[in-house]
Amino acid sequence: MEQLLGGRRPRLVSSLGLGQRSWEVTLDEERGRLAWRDPRPARRGGENCFVPASEIIAVEETELDKKQRNIGKWQKMSKPHAFTESRPKQLLVYINPYGGKRQGKRIYEQKVAPLFSLAAISTDVVITEHANHAKDNLFEVNINKYDGVVCVGGDGMFSEVMHGLIGRMQKDSGIDQNNPKAPLVQCNIRIGIIPAGSTDCVCYSTVGISDPVTSALHIILGDCQPLDVSSVHHNNTFLKYSVSLLGYGFYGDILKDSEKKRWMGPMRYDYSGFKTFLSHHYYEGTVCFQPAKHTLGSPRDKDSCRAGCYICKKSEQQLAEQRKEYGLKHEEDEEEWKVIKGKFLAINAVNMSCACPRSPKGLSPAAHLADGSADLILVRKCSRFDFLRYLVRHTNQDDQFDFSFVDVYRVKRFQFTSKFSEDNESNVTDIGKKRFGQFCRDHPACCCNIANSTWNCDGETLDSSAIEVRVHCQLMKLFARGIEENCKDEAASSQRSIEQLL
């Protein structure tokens, strides 16, 4: 037997010839699990190990008295759904050969395709040729014949596939996406992410590691992780969906500046980030939000969202009960809105922790993947040194919200309007002063304000600064099981074992 899940990522073992040892294997049909035992006497005697039968991918035939490893014949399972119907039989795969590491095709062919073949999964592969290729294709193909859609690339590729699937589901159901109050139809087709991008934030925040083989094995095993999705509207017009970061101010300015420097590659983010930090622009506006009273957690919790999260499960149940009892209209119209006005260096809303290798805890360490809420982080105007202290907190274990100029709220809806949009009395002269801060008498050159920033929506810019955002609880599902605790060593060991097999 081979390929089990150990800890956060699948771990590869050959139970009939683990290392230089042989094991006796038996199938416990009543409990639906596989058991193996080392027959040799040891200091503590023979050891029994168990694994759920649903996590067996392939079988290797070998002799018990042989000492070589992998001397038998690997066989595909004749009935890959023999143990569980959650495993996919047929997948639609989109590969972005240009984005991120520019190695998406190679990664898929060398590391992922052999595992899919071993698990008897058939695939239809599409190599994307231009922006929105996958999104447009998902509106045309017969998606009902697939058990899932796999995207090979970075966060941009995932966003494209997500928009295509959600948009297709709403179109087939007759839902108007331009209506910000419309209850969206949940996507039952799962999305698998094979990381091949620059940051792979979504994969890192939902699996705990950016590794193609790990993600491939989660897909093969048919894991399912619900995920909240935020819809973004402007004046009753749909703009985008977001699953990770909605950032105005600092992160919006970084993205806007970096788009002009794509020739620099991934280094453009560091350059634009340093440039934006030195600019130290702040923006005036009004934030209105509805608190997420249904969720049990808080953005200041010490515990993070992990596999089998109780808060996510409980929040889903409470939201379903509220809507069944009162209806969607009552829920939205009756609850009070809180209003905050001020000058902000950054306004961030996250549906997940937004963790990545550079920021292992993310922008909001206690954010949950599927509790129907987003963490709204308001960073008010402060000194450049204080803002640097806040940014450094993203890379260490200190509480990054423990500043007088930082407020964080758990919300289910929010709106933002910039002061520039609110002020109807502004004239051309005033606008000129705001845009050219070095000539403005009211603000020092190091931190003068500009009229508007740009919204960073999962790595893409939004043209409108005034937006309305609503969180849709568990709108979509991933081939993942959430992050599991204390599994870094097992993940590294598993990677080495799989590379030896391949």
Side-chain angles (χ1 to χ4, degrees):
M1 292 293 169
E2 61 104 33
Q3 292 169 351
L4 314 175
L5 276 184
R8 176 171 54 198
R9 57 156 294 156
R11 178 177 54 190
L12 179 70
V13 299
S14 176
S15 60
L16 294 182
L18 183 58
Q20 299 297 320
R21 301 163 62 182
S22 297
W23 298 70
E24 294 179 352
V25 182
T26 58
L27 177 62
D28 186 345
E29 296 183 357
E30 181 179 352
R31 297 186 179 180
R33 65 183 184 179
L34 190 75
W36 67 91
R37 185 179 69 87
D38 182 2
R40 302 186 308 170
R43 294 181 181 179
R44 298 182 180 180
E47 181 182 0
N48 290 316
C49 302
F50 299 91
V51 65
S54 60
E55 297 186 353
I56 301 170
I57 296 175
V59 178
E60 181 188 24
E61 294 180 342
T62 186
E63 299 290 339
L64 290 177
D65 57 349
K66 297 294 183 65
K67 294 184 178 181
Q68 293 84 358
R69 185 181 182 185
N70 294 335
I71 62 174
K73 179 182 179 182
W74 286 99
Q75 296 184 357
K76 299 177 183 177
M77 296 175 62
S78 58
K79 296 181 180 180
H81 286 240
F83 299 114
T84 173
E85 288 296 324
S86 64
R87 290 191 180 183
K89 294 179 182 178
Q90 188 168 2
L91 297 171
L92 177 58
V93 181
Y94 291 101
I95 301 177
N96 180 6
Y98 306 110
K101 302 173 184 176
R102 295 182 178 270
Q103 300 182 25
K105 186 176 180 181
R106 181 192 64 81
I107 289 174
Y108 177 79
E109 292 177 347
Q110 295 183 6
K111 296 186 176 183
V112 179
L115 294 176
F116 284 172
S117 177
L118 189 66
I121 297 177
S122 60
T123 58
D124 291 334
V125 179
V126 177
I127 307 296
T128 59
E129 300 176 353
H130 53 81
N132 293 322
H133 184 171
K135 176 183 175 182
D136 296 338
N137 185 256
L138 282 169
F139 277 86
E140 300 173 355
V141 300
N142 179 16
I143 60 176
N144 295 323
K145 72 176 185 178
Y146 297 105
D147 300 306
V149 179
V150 177
C151 57
V152 183
D155 292 332
M157 187 63 185
F158 167 78
S159 179
E160 188 175 326
V161 171
M162 176 188 68
H163 278 80
L165 268 183
I166 296 178
R168 174 67 181 273
M169 294 296 296
Q170 310 318 310
K171 178 182 177 182
D172 293 347
S173 303
I175 302 297
D176 182 11
Q177 295 184 92
N178 288 321
N179 182 2
K181 296 184 179 181
L184 301 183
V185 177
Q186 187 182 57
C187 295
N188 294 321
I189 299 178
R190 288 165 289 177
I191 299 179
I193 308 173
I194 303 299
S198 302
T199 57
D200 300 313
C201 172
V202 178
C203 183
Y204 196 94
S205 298
T206 55
V207 178
I209 186 173
S210 297
D211 173 56
V213 175
T214 297
S215 297
L217 293 179
H218 280 299
I219 294 171
I220 292 171
L221 292 171
D223 287 333
C224 183
Q225 171 61 55
L227 195 65
D228 293 339
V229 179
S230 292
S231 59
V232 185
H233 290 78
H234 170 73
N235 288 341
N236 293 323
T237 301
F238 170 74
L239 299 180
K240 287 282 186 181
Y241 291 115
S242 171
V243 295
S244 54
L245 169 67
L246 265 172
Y248 185 84
F250 182 72
Y251 289 104
D253 291 347
I254 290 178
L255 181 62
K256 184 177 181 179
D257 185 77
S258 66
E259 287 296 303
K260 306 173 185 177
K261 301 175 177 62
R262 283 188 167 273
W263 55 271
M264 296 179 64
M267 291 182 59
R268 67 184 185 271
Y269 297 114
D270 295 329
Y271 175 82
S272 297
F274 181 69
K275 178 181 176 182
T276 302
F277 171 76
L278 292 181
S279 300
H280 202 62
H281 292 306
Y282 67 87
Y283 303 91
E284 294 187 62
T286 302
V287 179
C288 307
F289 63 88
Q290 283 184 327
K293 297 181 180 180
H294 66 275
T295 184
L296 301 177
S298 165
R300 304 294 295 272
D301 289 343
K302 299 298 181 181
D303 297 329
S304 302
C305 183
R306 291 295 180 258
C309 177
Y310 170 78
I311 291 179
C312 291
K313 292 181 179 179
K314 193 66 176 177
S315 297
E316 179 191 17
Q317 295 174 359
Q318 291 182 349
L319 280 175
E321 292 174 358
Q322 288 179 6
R323 290 172 182 172
K324 183 178 180 180
E325 183 175 356
Y326 300 109
L328 184 64
K329 183 177 180 180
H330 172 90
E331 176 191 347
E332 293 183 344
D333 295 343
E334 296 298 327
E335 294 194 14
E336 62 176 341
W337 288 76
K338 292 189 176 182
V339 180
I340 296 178
K341 294 185 178 182
K343 302 175 181 179
F344 306 99
L345 288 171
I347 299 174
N348 301 321
V350 297
N351 287 72
M352 56 179 64
S353 65
C354 291
C356 64
R358 289 191 175 185
S359 179
K361 293 179 63 179
L363 293 179
S364 185
H368 287 266
L369 297 174
D371 67 342
S373 71
D375 286 355
L376 180 62
I377 307 168
L378 307 179
V379 184
R380 298 177 181 273
K381 179 184 175 183
C382 62
S383 68
R384 186 180 285 106
F385 176 72
D386 282 340
F387 188 58
L388 177 62
R389 290 171 58 209
Y390 167 72
L391 295 177
V392 170
R393 290 283 179 95
H394 297 331
T395 64
N396 57 39
Q397 300 299 316
D398 296 331
D399 183 359
Q400 57 197 32
F401 302 132
D402 189 21
F403 294 102
S404 59
F405 55 88
V406 177
D407 298 317
V408 59
Y409 307 92
R410 185 149 289 175
V411 304
K412 61 181 180 180
R413 293 183 67 193
F414 78 91
Q415 298 175 354
F416 172 77
T417 306
S418 66
K419 186 177 185 301
F420 176 72
S421 300
E422 294 175 336
D423 191 358
N424 296 325
E425 298 179 358
S426 297
N427 54 40
V428 177
T429 305
D430 293 331
I431 296 175
K433 289 183 178 181
K434 291 181 179 179
R435 290 191 180 275
F436 301 98
Q438 59 268 35
F439 301 109
C440 178
R441 299 178 180 178
D442 298 330
H443 305 283
C446 63
C447 58
C448 51
N449 73 327
I450 311 176
N452 279 322
S453 177
T454 302
W455 280 99
N456 178 340
C457 180
D458 291 0
E460 296 185 18
T461 58
L462 297 181
D463 295 331
S464 304
S465 60
I467 62 172
E468 179 179 354
V469 181
R470 176 183 168 196
V471 183
H472 301 267
C473 184
Q474 303 188 10
L475 184 62
M476 58 174 297
K477 300 176 182 177
L478 301 180
F479 282 107
R481 60 176 59 177
I483 300 176
E484 296 182 357
E485 298 283 1
N486 303 323
C487 305
K488 292 184 179 180
D489 295 337
E490 293 187 4
S493 175
S494 175
Q495 173 65 20
R496 290 191 296 267
S497 300
I498 293 175
E499 289 176 349
Q500 291 175 2
L501 173 65
L502 298 177

